[in-house]
Amino acid sequence: IVVWSYDHETGKEKSYTLQEDFHSDTHDNPAIHVRKDGRLQAFYTQHGKEKFIRSFVTTKAEDISSWEPVDHIQTTEGATYTLVFRLSGENDRTYLFTRALEYHPTVLTSDDGGDNWSAPVQLIGGGGARPYQRMVSDGISRIHIAFTTGHPRNEPDNSVYYCYYEKGAFYKADGTFIKNWEDLPVFPSEVDLVYDGSTNGRAWTWDIAI
């Protein structure tokens, strides 16, 4: 697991190996979070084999040359894929997403910059055996979520859905209220249907952007 950086002022490049001889799988690529204090935090997992997420934090701001010892964030079920966003409009609450509970998208939160984390909560329910999500955030108040019924290899009518999170609740694209955070998970039947896989064949998601 390797982290790389480029200094735009000096043109210098750096790389740092967080872990050697790790599980050989592209699912293990880390998510990088720039904390409010400027330090970098890297999250990564094996491909669903362990019930925790590895977390590494640099010792200095904007410098990948030294890192604190690894921390393990418990997920109670095997985790894989990591995404992380910090919302300035929520006093910099940090949201860490993974796939864990019931093989579905799962979320943990931190209110102290990324040192301590809540228990995992299932984000998406129902649908297929393993919905896949793509996410993007404005970094202020919203997290946009696109997800599928499941894996197109297993779901002949694999469809694509959308909702967004803001200020403790979930909404459709037009602002229609879906439910509060406390009532998670959200279900495909509650959100926007972007593409119906039963019409012109199964779908897949590649990316999402604002």
Side-chain angles (χ1 to χ4, degrees):
I1 302 294
V2 180
V3 179
W4 175 89
S5 70
Y6 173 79
D7 190 317
H8 289 267
E9 294 180 354
T10 65
K12 292 183 178 180
E13 302 177 21
K14 291 182 181 180
S15 65
Y16 188 93
T17 300
L18 289 175
Q19 188 161 350
E20 295 182 347
D21 300 321
F22 191 58
H23 182 231
S24 182
D25 193 312
T26 55
H27 293 76
D28 306 341
N29 287 323
I32 305 297
H33 171 222
V34 181
R35 293 161 56 117
K36 188 177 181 179
D37 61 12
R39 293 186 296 159
L40 304 181
Q41 190 165 9
F43 304 93
Y44 65 93
T45 69
Q46 287 195 11
H47 187 189
K49 294 181 179 294
E50 299 168 323
K51 298 178 181 180
F52 58 83
I53 299 170
R54 289 173 174 80
S55 167
F56 283 87
V57 182
T58 59
T59 59
K60 299 178 181 179
E62 300 183 15
D63 184 356
I64 67 167
S65 60
S66 63
W67 298 71
E68 296 179 352
V70 63
D71 185 25
H72 291 164
I73 303 170
Q74 300 301 314
T75 57
T76 69
E77 294 184 30
T80 191
Y81 306 120
T82 50
L83 289 166
V84 59
F85 304 107
R86 174 166 55 88
L87 299 183
S88 62
E90 293 190 8
N91 294 318
D92 294 299
R93 170 173 283 184
T94 306
Y95 292 81
L96 176 60
F97 297 90
T98 187
R99 184 180 73 191
L101 303 182
E102 297 185 4
Y103 237 63
H104 280 54
T106 299
V107 58
L108 305 89
T109 60
S110 173
D111 289 316
D112 61 4
D115 292 327
N116 295 284
W117 295 88
S118 70
V121 175
Q122 187 173 329
L123 176 68
I124 297 168
R130 44 177 172 161
Y132 283 76
Q133 82 272 26
R134 313 290 182 190
M135 297 180 174
V136 66
S137 174
D138 61 6
I140 301 171
S141 64
R142 285 192 183 186
I143 300 173
H144 301 268
I145 307 162
F147 65 94
T148 63
T149 311
H151 196 296
R153 184 174 57 224
N154 308 116
E155 306 293 338
D157 297 335
N158 208 44
S159 299
V160 177
Y161 307 89
Y162 168 84
C163 66
Y164 69 86
Y165 163 82
E166 186 171 34
K167 298 179 180 178
F170 294 84
Y171 301 87
K172 293 184 176 183
D174 65 359
T176 299
F177 172 81
I178 299 172
K179 64 177 50 175
N180 290 313
W181 178 274
E182 293 77 12
D183 299 319
L184 282 173
V186 295
F187 294 91
S189 60
E190 300 173 322
V191 303
D192 285 308
L193 175 64
V194 177
Y195 176 86
D196 185 349
S198 67
T199 57
N200 295 304
R202 70 194 76 182
W204 188 233
T205 55
W206 185 254
D207 206 350
I208 180 173
I210 300 173

